[in-house]
Amino acid sequence: MDKRPIGIFDSGLGGLSAVKAVFNCLPNEDIIYFGDTQRVPYGSRSEKTIEAFARDDIAFLEQFNCKLIMAACGTVSSVAVNATSKIKEPFVGVVKPSCEAAVKATKNKKIGVMATAASINSGAYDREIARLDPEAKVTGVSCPVLVTLVENNWIDEDNYISKEIISRYLQPLLDNGADTIILGCTHFPHLAPIIQSVVGDGVTLIDSGYEAVMQAKKLLDENGLANDESHMGTAKYYVSDRTQNFSGIAQTLLGTDISDSVTFKELAE
Ligand code: DGL
């Protein structure tokens, strides 16, 4: 048992899909979350900028003596490979676990990927799926507007504007017959009910935040790092812009009021 916290970061609210999975599947673990809300979105930036942002996020979390660091961000996991490969702690990103889950789930070997432009352009999902199953066909679509929908809390199932935007993004994946879709940006699981209503029950959605947490669980268990039931997990959140914006939407996403646990932390000069 190792009582140090798990460090989780994302550009903003997206990584809360991983936090939710920690609450459900690793309830004895403490979390330090960092959301770089000042600089969101990451997904439309250059590789150089994403690498630099990722280095800052990692350096911030490394101060907390974490037992594991998770990039709950598809963009960082896909693009900032230099920064993440230098992490000293055990590290989990979202690309590998979500591709593994998709390859396992697909029956027709047609996999769709919804992610940010940077993630799609990096080819990280295509490479990982090709490595796992060379016969699988991948269709990727970059969906930058969906990040904005989540950051503005336009996630309710009845929101017909969100539904229309999602339908347009999904069309190429449906045209190509994907039976499995990776929500490769951690913001997107927050839109899963709308996405599922557009694609129908026959299509499996892969929640990249959840899959990353499943891999973290495995890593903690295999290395004797997991907390036992005597410890009740806690969560502290740090954000690089107004805490109120984050807490308000986080309450909807997590179903709990976290405002007392959110602290402002400026990273950028
Ligand atoms: N949640 C992030 C991802 O998984 C980033 C979205 C963004 O900042 O563009 O890619």
PDB file of all heavy atoms in Angstrom, residues 143-179:
ATOM      1  N   CYS A 143     -12.835  16.881 -33.829  1.00  0.00           N
ATOM      2  CA  CYS A 143     -14.112  17.481 -33.398  1.00  0.00           C
ATOM      3  C   CYS A 143     -13.861  18.621 -32.413  1.00  0.00           C
ATOM      4  O   CYS A 143     -14.285  18.554 -31.254  1.00  0.00           O
ATOM      5  CB  CYS A 143     -14.969  16.417 -32.701  1.00  0.00           C
ATOM      6  SG  CYS A 143     -15.107  14.837 -33.529  1.00  0.00           S
ATOM      7  N   PRO A 144     -13.189  19.690 -32.852  1.00  0.00           N
ATOM      8  CA  PRO A 144     -12.816  20.746 -31.903  1.00  0.00           C
ATOM      9  C   PRO A 144     -13.993  21.420 -31.198  1.00  0.00           C
ATOM     10  O   PRO A 144     -13.888  21.792 -30.030  1.00  0.00           O
ATOM     11  CB  PRO A 144     -12.058  21.753 -32.784  1.00  0.00           C
ATOM     12  CG  PRO A 144     -12.428  21.431 -34.189  1.00  0.00           C
ATOM     13  CD  PRO A 144     -12.722  19.975 -34.225  1.00  0.00           C
ATOM     14  N   VAL A 145     -15.117  21.534 -31.896  1.00  0.00           N
ATOM     15  CA  VAL A 145     -16.245  22.259 -31.291  1.00  0.00           C
ATOM     16  C   VAL A 145     -16.792  21.521 -30.059  1.00  0.00           C
ATOM     17  O   VAL A 145     -17.338  22.130 -29.134  1.00  0.00           O
ATOM     18  CB  VAL A 145     -17.356  22.502 -32.348  1.00  0.00           C
ATOM     19  CG1 VAL A 145     -18.564  23.202 -31.735  1.00  0.00           C
ATOM     20  CG2 VAL A 145     -16.813  23.341 -33.504  1.00  0.00           C
ATOM     21  N   LEU A 146     -16.589  20.207 -30.019  1.00  0.00           N
ATOM     22  CA  LEU A 146     -17.139  19.442 -28.888  1.00  0.00           C
ATOM     23  C   LEU A 146     -16.455  19.819 -27.580  1.00  0.00           C
ATOM     24  O   LEU A 146     -17.052  19.749 -26.506  1.00  0.00           O
ATOM     25  CB  LEU A 146     -17.023  17.932 -29.143  1.00  0.00           C
ATOM     26  CG  LEU A 146     -17.689  17.381 -30.404  1.00  0.00           C
ATOM     27  CD1 LEU A 146     -17.802  15.861 -30.312  1.00  0.00           C
ATOM     28  CD2 LEU A 146     -19.056  18.003 -30.645  1.00  0.00           C
ATOM     29  N   VAL A 147     -15.179  20.223 -27.654  1.00  0.00           N
ATOM     30  CA  VAL A 147     -14.475  20.664 -26.442  1.00  0.00           C
ATOM     31  C   VAL A 147     -15.178  21.903 -25.885  1.00  0.00           C
ATOM     32  O   VAL A 147     -15.455  22.001 -24.686  1.00  0.00           O
ATOM     33  CB  VAL A 147     -12.983  20.961 -26.747  1.00  0.00           C
ATOM     34  CG1 VAL A 147     -12.272  21.501 -25.509  1.00  0.00           C
ATOM     35  CG2 VAL A 147     -12.277  19.716 -27.276  1.00  0.00           C
ATOM     36  N   THR A 148     -15.525  22.826 -26.780  1.00  0.00           N
ATOM     37  CA  THR A 148     -16.212  24.048 -26.362  1.00  0.00           C
ATOM     38  C   THR A 148     -17.588  23.727 -25.771  1.00  0.00           C
ATOM     39  O   THR A 148     -18.012  24.349 -24.792  1.00  0.00           O
ATOM     40  CB  THR A 148     -16.369  25.001 -27.579  1.00  0.00           C
ATOM     41  OG1 THR A 148     -15.105  25.071 -28.230  1.00  0.00           O
ATOM     42  CG2 THR A 148     -16.809  26.379 -27.176  1.00  0.00           C
ATOM     43  N   LEU A 149     -18.281  22.764 -26.361  1.00  0.00           N
ATOM     44  CA  LEU A 149     -19.605  22.405 -25.815  1.00  0.00           C
ATOM     45  C   LEU A 149     -19.478  21.963 -24.364  1.00  0.00           C
ATOM     46  O   LEU A 149     -20.263  22.378 -23.505  1.00  0.00           O
ATOM     47  CB  LEU A 149     -20.244  21.273 -26.639  1.00  0.00           C
ATOM     48  CG  LEU A 149     -20.634  21.574 -28.089  1.00  0.00           C
ATOM     49  CD1 LEU A 149     -21.277  20.341 -28.728  1.00  0.00           C
ATOM     50  CD2 LEU A 149     -21.576  22.771 -28.180  1.00  0.00           C
ATOM     51  N   VAL A 150     -18.469  21.134 -24.086  1.00  0.00           N
ATOM     52  CA  VAL A 150     -18.294  20.639 -22.706  1.00  0.00           C
ATOM     53  C   VAL A 150     -17.851  21.776 -21.794  1.00  0.00           C
ATOM     54  O   VAL A 150     -18.395  21.948 -20.691  1.00  0.00           O
ATOM     55  CB  VAL A 150     -17.288  19.466 -22.662  1.00  0.00           C
ATOM     56  CG1 VAL A 150     -16.998  19.058 -21.215  1.00  0.00           C
ATOM     57  CG2 VAL A 150     -17.812  18.276 -23.451  1.00  0.00           C
ATOM     58  N   GLU A 151     -16.887  22.577 -22.245  1.00  0.00           N
ATOM     59  CA  GLU A 151     -16.383  23.667 -21.401  1.00  0.00           C
ATOM     60  C   GLU A 151     -17.499  24.676 -21.090  1.00  0.00           C
ATOM     61  O   GLU A 151     -17.397  25.463 -20.169  1.00  0.00           O
ATOM     62  CB  GLU A 151     -15.185  24.363 -22.056  1.00  0.00           C
ATOM     63  CG  GLU A 151     -13.914  23.498 -22.150  1.00  0.00           C
ATOM     64  CD  GLU A 151     -13.196  23.287 -20.799  1.00  0.00           C
ATOM     65  OE1 GLU A 151     -13.266  24.172 -19.935  1.00  0.00           O
ATOM     66  OE2 GLU A 151     -12.586  22.218 -20.628  1.00  0.00           O
ATOM     67  N   ASN A 152     -18.577  24.660 -21.895  1.00  0.00           N
ATOM     68  CA  ASN A 152     -19.696  25.570 -21.643  1.00  0.00           C
ATOM     69  C   ASN A 152     -20.935  24.847 -21.119  1.00  0.00           C
ATOM     70  O   ASN A 152     -22.024  25.438 -21.062  1.00  0.00           O
ATOM     71  CB  ASN A 152     -20.031  26.355 -22.916  1.00  0.00           C
ATOM     72  CG  ASN A 152     -18.956  27.379 -23.195  1.00  0.00           C
ATOM     73  OD1 ASN A 152     -18.897  28.417 -22.555  1.00  0.00           O
ATOM     74  ND2 ASN A 152     -18.051  27.050 -24.102  1.00  0.00           N
ATOM     75  N   ASN A 153     -20.746  23.571 -20.766  1.00  0.00           N
ATOM     76  CA  ASN A 153     -21.832  22.806 -20.147  1.00  0.00           C
ATOM     77  C   ASN A 153     -23.025  22.546 -21.071  1.00  0.00           C
ATOM     78  O   ASN A 153     -24.151  22.424 -20.600  1.00  0.00           O
ATOM     79  CB  ASN A 153     -22.300  23.537 -18.867  1.00  0.00           C
ATOM     80  CG  ASN A 153     -22.789  22.568 -17.813  1.00  0.00           C
ATOM     81  OD1 ASN A 153     -22.749  21.346 -18.027  1.00  0.00           O
ATOM     82  ND2 ASN A 153     -23.250  23.072 -16.697  1.00  0.00           N
ATOM     83  N   TRP A 154     -22.777  22.474 -22.369  1.00  0.00           N
ATOM     84  CA  TRP A 154     -23.869  22.168 -23.314  1.00  0.00           C
ATOM     85  C   TRP A 154     -23.951  20.654 -23.503  1.00  0.00           C
ATOM     86  O   TRP A 154     -23.811  20.143 -24.604  1.00  0.00           O
ATOM     87  CB  TRP A 154     -23.612  22.860 -24.664  1.00  0.00           C
ATOM     88  CG  TRP A 154     -23.963  24.310 -24.666  1.00  0.00           C
ATOM     89  CD1 TRP A 154     -23.815  25.196 -23.634  1.00  0.00           C
ATOM     90  CD2 TRP A 154     -24.521  25.053 -25.754  1.00  0.00           C
ATOM     91  NE1 TRP A 154     -24.240  26.440 -24.014  1.00  0.00           N
ATOM     92  CE2 TRP A 154     -24.677  26.387 -25.311  1.00  0.00           C
ATOM     93  CE3 TRP A 154     -24.889  24.728 -27.066  1.00  0.00           C
ATOM     94  CZ2 TRP A 154     -25.198  27.385 -26.127  1.00  0.00           C
ATOM     95  CZ3 TRP A 154     -25.398  25.727 -27.878  1.00  0.00           C
ATOM     96  CH2 TRP A 154     -25.556  27.039 -27.404  1.00  0.00           C
ATOM     97  N   ILE A 155     -24.147  19.969 -22.394  1.00  0.00           N
ATOM     98  CA  ILE A 155     -24.032  18.509 -22.456  1.00  0.00           C
ATOM     99  C   ILE A 155     -25.360  17.804 -22.225  1.00  0.00           C
ATOM    100  O   ILE A 155     -25.423  16.581 -22.244  1.00  0.00           O
ATOM    101  CB  ILE A 155     -22.998  17.993 -21.426  1.00  0.00           C
ATOM    102  CG1 ILE A 155     -23.419  18.364 -20.010  1.00  0.00           C
ATOM    103  CG2 ILE A 155     -21.612  18.553 -21.722  1.00  0.00           C
ATOM    104  CD1 ILE A 155     -22.609  17.670 -18.937  1.00  0.00           C
ATOM    105  N   ASP A 156     -26.426  18.566 -21.977  1.00  0.00           N
ATOM    106  CA  ASP A 156     -27.699  17.912 -21.684  1.00  0.00           C
ATOM    107  C   ASP A 156     -28.250  17.229 -22.934  1.00  0.00           C
ATOM    108  O   ASP A 156     -28.132  17.740 -24.047  1.00  0.00           O
ATOM    109  CB  ASP A 156     -28.709  18.913 -21.108  1.00  0.00           C
ATOM    110  CG  ASP A 156     -28.860  20.124 -22.011  1.00  0.00           C
ATOM    111  OD1 ASP A 156     -27.883  20.877 -22.142  1.00  0.00           O
ATOM    112  OD2 ASP A 156     -29.944  20.286 -22.615  1.00  0.00           O
ATOM    113  N   GLU A 157     -28.841  16.080 -22.690  1.00  0.00           N
ATOM    114  CA  GLU A 157     -29.298  15.237 -23.806  1.00  0.00           C
ATOM    115  C   GLU A 157     -30.299  15.917 -24.727  1.00  0.00           C
ATOM    116  O   GLU A 157     -30.414  15.565 -25.900  1.00  0.00           O
ATOM    117  CB  GLU A 157     -29.928  13.972 -23.233  1.00  0.00           C
ATOM    118  CG  GLU A 157     -28.992  12.787 -23.321  1.00  0.00           C
ATOM    119  CD  GLU A 157     -29.696  11.506 -22.974  1.00  0.00           C
ATOM    120  OE1 GLU A 157     -29.811  11.231 -21.770  1.00  0.00           O
ATOM    121  OE2 GLU A 157     -30.119  10.801 -23.919  1.00  0.00           O
ATOM    122  N   ASP A 158     -31.050  16.889 -24.202  1.00  0.00           N
ATOM    123  CA  ASP A 158     -32.079  17.543 -25.031  1.00  0.00           C
ATOM    124  C   ASP A 158     -31.516  18.701 -25.834  1.00  0.00           C
ATOM    125  O   ASP A 158     -32.274  19.388 -26.531  1.00  0.00           O
ATOM    126  CB  ASP A 158     -33.202  18.135 -24.165  1.00  0.00           C
ATOM    127  CG  ASP A 158     -33.658  17.202 -23.106  1.00  0.00           C
ATOM    128  OD1 ASP A 158     -33.659  15.997 -23.397  1.00  0.00           O
ATOM    129  OD2 ASP A 158     -34.003  17.672 -22.003  1.00  0.00           O
ATOM    130  N   ASN A 159     -30.217  18.958 -25.711  1.00  0.00           N
ATOM    131  CA  ASN A 159     -29.646  20.117 -26.411  1.00  0.00           C
ATOM    132  C   ASN A 159     -29.534  19.808 -27.908  1.00  0.00           C
ATOM    133  O   ASN A 159     -28.623  19.123 -28.364  1.00  0.00           O
ATOM    134  CB  ASN A 159     -28.274  20.450 -25.812  1.00  0.00           C
ATOM    135  CG  ASN A 159     -27.774  21.789 -26.290  1.00  0.00           C
ATOM    136  OD1 ASN A 159     -27.838  22.087 -27.482  1.00  0.00           O
ATOM    137  ND2 ASN A 159     -27.306  22.597 -25.367  1.00  0.00           N
ATOM    138  N   TYR A 160     -30.493  20.329 -28.669  1.00  0.00           N
ATOM    139  CA  TYR A 160     -30.565  19.933 -30.086  1.00  0.00           C
ATOM    140  C   TYR A 160     -29.419  20.510 -30.902  1.00  0.00           C
ATOM    141  O   TYR A 160     -29.053  19.979 -31.952  1.00  0.00           O
ATOM    142  CB  TYR A 160     -31.939  20.264 -30.683  1.00  0.00           C
ATOM    143  CG  TYR A 160     -32.236  21.737 -30.796  1.00  0.00           C
ATOM    144  CD1 TYR A 160     -31.925  22.439 -31.948  1.00  0.00           C
ATOM    145  CD2 TYR A 160     -32.840  22.422 -29.751  1.00  0.00           C
ATOM    146  CE1 TYR A 160     -32.190  23.792 -32.050  1.00  0.00           C
ATOM    147  CE2 TYR A 160     -33.100  23.778 -29.840  1.00  0.00           C
ATOM    148  CZ  TYR A 160     -32.776  24.458 -30.984  1.00  0.00           C
ATOM    149  OH  TYR A 160     -33.027  25.797 -31.085  1.00  0.00           O
ATOM    150  N   ILE A 161     -28.831  21.629 -30.420  1.00  0.00           N
ATOM    151  CA  ILE A 161     -27.693  22.212 -31.159  1.00  0.00           C
ATOM    152  C   ILE A 161     -26.476  21.288 -30.996  1.00  0.00           C
ATOM    153  O   ILE A 161     -25.802  20.946 -31.968  1.00  0.00           O
ATOM    154  CB  ILE A 161     -27.394  23.644 -30.681  1.00  0.00           C
ATOM    155  CG1 ILE A 161     -28.616  24.516 -30.953  1.00  0.00           C
ATOM    156  CG2 ILE A 161     -26.154  24.207 -31.373  1.00  0.00           C
ATOM    157  CD1 ILE A 161     -28.539  25.922 -30.423  1.00  0.00           C
ATOM    158  N   SER A 162     -26.216  20.868 -29.768  1.00  0.00           N
ATOM    159  CA  SER A 162     -25.107  19.925 -29.529  1.00  0.00           C
ATOM    160  C   SER A 162     -25.335  18.653 -30.358  1.00  0.00           C
ATOM    161  O   SER A 162     -24.409  18.107 -30.955  1.00  0.00           O
ATOM    162  CB  SER A 162     -25.008  19.576 -28.042  1.00  0.00           C
ATOM    163  OG  SER A 162     -24.752  20.733 -27.298  1.00  0.00           O
ATOM    164  N   LYS A 163     -26.560  18.182 -30.368  1.00  0.00           N
ATOM    165  CA  LYS A 163     -26.878  16.945 -31.095  1.00  0.00           C
ATOM    166  C   LYS A 163     -26.608  17.101 -32.590  1.00  0.00           C
ATOM    167  O   LYS A 163     -26.066  16.199 -33.240  1.00  0.00           O
ATOM    168  CB  LYS A 163     -28.337  16.567 -30.842  1.00  0.00           C
ATOM    169  CG  LYS A 163     -28.662  15.168 -31.259  1.00  0.00           C
ATOM    170  CD  LYS A 163     -29.973  14.707 -30.687  1.00  0.00           C
ATOM    171  CE  LYS A 163     -30.215  13.278 -31.141  1.00  0.00           C
ATOM    172  NZ  LYS A 163     -31.354  12.668 -30.496  1.00  0.00           N
ATOM    173  N   GLU A 164     -26.976  18.248 -33.129  1.00  0.00           N
ATOM    174  CA  GLU A 164     -26.768  18.500 -34.556  1.00  0.00           C
ATOM    175  C   GLU A 164     -25.268  18.537 -34.886  1.00  0.00           C
ATOM    176  O   GLU A 164     -24.808  17.939 -35.873  1.00  0.00           O
ATOM    177  CB  GLU A 164     -27.450  19.839 -34.936  1.00  0.00           C
ATOM    178  CG  GLU A 164     -27.268  20.284 -36.377  1.00  0.00           C
ATOM    179  CD  GLU A 164     -27.801  19.280 -37.391  1.00  0.00           C
ATOM    180  OE1 GLU A 164     -28.738  18.527 -37.070  1.00  0.00           O
ATOM    181  OE2 GLU A 164     -27.247  19.256 -38.525  1.00  0.00           O
ATOM    182  N   ILE A 165     -24.500  19.213 -34.034  1.00  0.00           N
ATOM    183  CA  ILE A 165     -23.044  19.300 -34.266  1.00  0.00           C
ATOM    184  C   ILE A 165     -22.433  17.899 -34.213  1.00  0.00           C
ATOM    185  O   ILE A 165     -21.639  17.511 -35.074  1.00  0.00           O
ATOM    186  CB  ILE A 165     -22.388  20.232 -33.212  1.00  0.00           C
ATOM    187  CG1 ILE A 165     -22.894  21.664 -33.389  1.00  0.00           C
ATOM    188  CG2 ILE A 165     -20.867  20.185 -33.296  1.00  0.00           C
ATOM    189  CD1 ILE A 165     -22.559  22.608 -32.243  1.00  0.00           C
ATOM    190  N   ILE A 166     -22.835  17.149 -33.196  1.00  0.00           N
ATOM    191  CA  ILE A 166     -22.304  15.792 -33.031  1.00  0.00           C
ATOM    192  C   ILE A 166     -22.673  14.923 -34.246  1.00  0.00           C
ATOM    193  O   ILE A 166     -21.844  14.169 -34.764  1.00  0.00           O
ATOM    194  CB  ILE A 166     -22.815  15.185 -31.703  1.00  0.00           C
ATOM    195  CG1 ILE A 166     -22.077  15.878 -30.543  1.00  0.00           C
ATOM    196  CG2 ILE A 166     -22.640  13.674 -31.653  1.00  0.00           C
ATOM    197  CD1 ILE A 166     -22.634  15.590 -29.171  1.00  0.00           C
ATOM    198  N   SER A 167     -23.918  15.045 -34.727  1.00  0.00           N
ATOM    199  CA  SER A 167     -24.359  14.242 -35.885  1.00  0.00           C
ATOM    200  C   SER A 167     -23.477  14.523 -37.099  1.00  0.00           C
ATOM    201  O   SER A 167     -23.094  13.605 -37.828  1.00  0.00           O
ATOM    202  CB  SER A 167     -25.798  14.559 -36.266  1.00  0.00           C
ATOM    203  OG  SER A 167     -26.625  14.369 -35.184  1.00  0.00           O
ATOM    204  N   ARG A 168     -23.146  15.794 -37.285  1.00  0.00           N
ATOM    205  CA  ARG A 168     -22.307  16.133 -38.453  1.00  0.00           C
ATOM    206  C   ARG A 168     -20.928  15.524 -38.322  1.00  0.00           C
ATOM    207  O   ARG A 168     -20.379  14.997 -39.274  1.00  0.00           O
ATOM    208  CB  ARG A 168     -22.195  17.650 -38.597  1.00  0.00           C
ATOM    209  CG  ARG A 168     -23.493  18.245 -39.048  1.00  0.00           C
ATOM    210  CD  ARG A 168     -23.302  19.676 -39.437  1.00  0.00           C
ATOM    211  NE  ARG A 168     -24.622  20.270 -39.676  1.00  0.00           N
ATOM    212  CZ  ARG A 168     -24.820  21.345 -40.399  1.00  0.00           C
ATOM    213  NH1 ARG A 168     -23.799  21.977 -40.936  1.00  0.00           N
ATOM    214  NH2 ARG A 168     -26.026  21.807 -40.580  1.00  0.00           N
ATOM    215  N   TYR A 169     -20.347  15.632 -37.131  1.00  0.00           N
ATOM    216  CA  TYR A 169     -19.016  15.046 -36.928  1.00  0.00           C
ATOM    217  C   TYR A 169     -19.022  13.533 -37.108  1.00  0.00           C
ATOM    218  O   TYR A 169     -18.058  12.937 -37.577  1.00  0.00           O
ATOM    219  CB  TYR A 169     -18.508  15.370 -35.522  1.00  0.00           C
ATOM    220  CG  TYR A 169     -17.892  16.748 -35.351  1.00  0.00           C
ATOM    221  CD1 TYR A 169     -18.176  17.521 -34.230  1.00  0.00           C
ATOM    222  CD2 TYR A 169     -16.995  17.264 -36.290  1.00  0.00           C
ATOM    223  CE1 TYR A 169     -17.602  18.778 -34.052  1.00  0.00           C
ATOM    224  CE2 TYR A 169     -16.411  18.515 -36.117  1.00  0.00           C
ATOM    225  CZ  TYR A 169     -16.715  19.263 -34.997  1.00  0.00           C
ATOM    226  OH  TYR A 169     -16.127  20.496 -34.820  1.00  0.00           O
ATOM    227  N   LEU A 170     -20.121  12.907 -36.686  1.00  0.00           N
ATOM    228  CA  LEU A 170     -20.159  11.437 -36.699  1.00  0.00           C
ATOM    229  C   LEU A 170     -20.393  10.840 -38.078  1.00  0.00           C
ATOM    230  O   LEU A 170     -20.098   9.664 -38.305  1.00  0.00           O
ATOM    231  CB  LEU A 170     -21.261  10.946 -35.759  1.00  0.00           C
ATOM    232  CG  LEU A 170     -20.902  10.925 -34.278  1.00  0.00           C
ATOM    233  CD1 LEU A 170     -22.158  10.741 -33.436  1.00  0.00           C
ATOM    234  CD2 LEU A 170     -19.903   9.805 -33.984  1.00  0.00           C
ATOM    235  N   GLN A 171     -20.928  11.635 -38.994  1.00  0.00           N
ATOM    236  CA  GLN A 171     -21.337  11.085 -40.286  1.00  0.00           C
ATOM    237  C   GLN A 171     -20.259  10.238 -40.979  1.00  0.00           C
ATOM    238  O   GLN A 171     -20.536   9.111 -41.398  1.00  0.00           O
ATOM    239  CB  GLN A 171     -21.854  12.203 -41.206  1.00  0.00           C
ATOM    240  CG  GLN A 171     -22.818  11.711 -42.264  1.00  0.00           C
ATOM    241  CD  GLN A 171     -23.940  10.848 -41.680  1.00  0.00           C
ATOM    242  OE1 GLN A 171     -24.645  11.283 -40.785  1.00  0.00           O
ATOM    243  NE2 GLN A 171     -24.073   9.612 -42.162  1.00  0.00           N
ATOM    244  N   PRO A 172     -19.006  10.751 -41.095  1.00  0.00           N
ATOM    245  CA  PRO A 172     -17.992   9.933 -41.787  1.00  0.00           C
ATOM    246  C   PRO A 172     -17.726   8.599 -41.100  1.00  0.00           C
ATOM    247  O   PRO A 172     -17.448   7.585 -41.765  1.00  0.00           O
ATOM    248  CB  PRO A 172     -16.717  10.803 -41.742  1.00  0.00           C
ATOM    249  CG  PRO A 172     -17.095  12.117 -41.182  1.00  0.00           C
ATOM    250  CD  PRO A 172     -18.489  12.065 -40.684  1.00  0.00           C
ATOM    251  N   LEU A 173     -17.844   8.568 -39.780  1.00  0.00           N
ATOM    252  CA  LEU A 173     -17.605   7.307 -39.063  1.00  0.00           C
ATOM    253  C   LEU A 173     -18.741   6.324 -39.342  1.00  0.00           C
ATOM    254  O   LEU A 173     -18.505   5.125 -39.548  1.00  0.00           O
ATOM    255  CB  LEU A 173     -17.508   7.545 -37.550  1.00  0.00           C
ATOM    256  CG  LEU A 173     -16.550   8.626 -37.053  1.00  0.00           C
ATOM    257  CD1 LEU A 173     -16.415   8.547 -35.530  1.00  0.00           C
ATOM    258  CD2 LEU A 173     -15.182   8.465 -37.670  1.00  0.00           C
ATOM    259  N   LEU A 174     -19.958   6.846 -39.384  1.00  0.00           N
ATOM    260  CA  LEU A 174     -21.103   5.980 -39.659  1.00  0.00           C
ATOM    261  C   LEU A 174     -21.080   5.528 -41.118  1.00  0.00           C
ATOM    262  O   LEU A 174     -21.349   4.359 -41.427  1.00  0.00           O
ATOM    263  CB  LEU A 174     -22.413   6.694 -39.322  1.00  0.00           C
ATOM    264  CG  LEU A 174     -22.564   7.041 -37.828  1.00  0.00           C
ATOM    265  CD1 LEU A 174     -23.829   7.847 -37.589  1.00  0.00           C
ATOM    266  CD2 LEU A 174     -22.556   5.784 -36.973  1.00  0.00           C
ATOM    267  N   ASP A 175     -20.700   6.437 -42.032  1.00  0.00           N
ATOM    268  CA  ASP A 175     -20.599   6.069 -43.457  1.00  0.00           C
ATOM    269  C   ASP A 175     -19.588   4.938 -43.648  1.00  0.00           C
ATOM    270  O   ASP A 175     -19.759   4.090 -44.515  1.00  0.00           O
ATOM    271  CB  ASP A 175     -20.140   7.273 -44.301  1.00  0.00           C
ATOM    272  CG  ASP A 175     -21.227   8.336 -44.406  1.00  0.00           C
ATOM    273  OD1 ASP A 175     -22.392   8.029 -44.056  1.00  0.00           O
ATOM    274  OD2 ASP A 175     -20.911   9.471 -44.813  1.00  0.00           O
ATOM    275  N   ASN A 176     -18.540   4.939 -42.846  1.00  0.00           N
ATOM    276  CA  ASN A 176     -17.521   3.890 -42.977  1.00  0.00           C
ATOM    277  C   ASN A 176     -17.850   2.633 -42.166  1.00  0.00           C
ATOM    278  O   ASN A 176     -17.038   1.731 -42.064  1.00  0.00           O
ATOM    279  CB  ASN A 176     -16.147   4.425 -42.576  1.00  0.00           C
ATOM    280  CG  ASN A 176     -15.623   5.391 -43.629  1.00  0.00           C
ATOM    281  OD1 ASN A 176     -16.139   5.441 -44.738  1.00  0.00           O
ATOM    282  ND2 ASN A 176     -14.616   6.166 -43.278  1.00  0.00           N
ATOM    283  N   GLY A 177     -19.019   2.616 -41.538  1.00  0.00           N
ATOM    284  CA  GLY A 177     -19.503   1.405 -40.872  1.00  0.00           C
ATOM    285  C   GLY A 177     -18.842   1.084 -39.544  1.00  0.00           C
ATOM    286  O   GLY A 177     -18.844  -0.093 -39.120  1.00  0.00           O
ATOM    287  N   ALA A 178     -18.292   2.097 -38.864  1.00  0.00           N
ATOM    288  CA  ALA A 178     -17.633   1.816 -37.574  1.00  0.00           C
ATOM    289  C   ALA A 178     -18.635   1.219 -36.585  1.00  0.00           C
ATOM    290  O   ALA A 178     -19.723   1.768 -36.400  1.00  0.00           O
ATOM    291  CB  ALA A 178     -17.038   3.103 -37.009  1.00  0.00           C
ATOM    292  N   ASP A 179     -18.254   0.107 -35.951  1.00  0.00           N
ATOM    293  CA  ASP A 179     -19.128  -0.453 -34.907  1.00  0.00           C
ATOM    294  C   ASP A 179     -18.599  -0.103 -33.516  1.00  0.00           C
ATOM    295  O   ASP A 179     -19.202  -0.443 -32.506  1.00  0.00           O
ATOM    296  CB  ASP A 179     -19.298  -1.972 -35.073  1.00  0.00           C
ATOM    297  CG  ASP A 179     -18.050  -2.761 -34.704  1.00  0.00           C
ATOM    298  OD1 ASP A 179     -16.964  -2.156 -34.526  1.00  0.00           O
ATOM    299  OD2 ASP A 179     -18.159  -4.005 -34.597  1.00  0.00           O
TER     300      ASP A 179
END
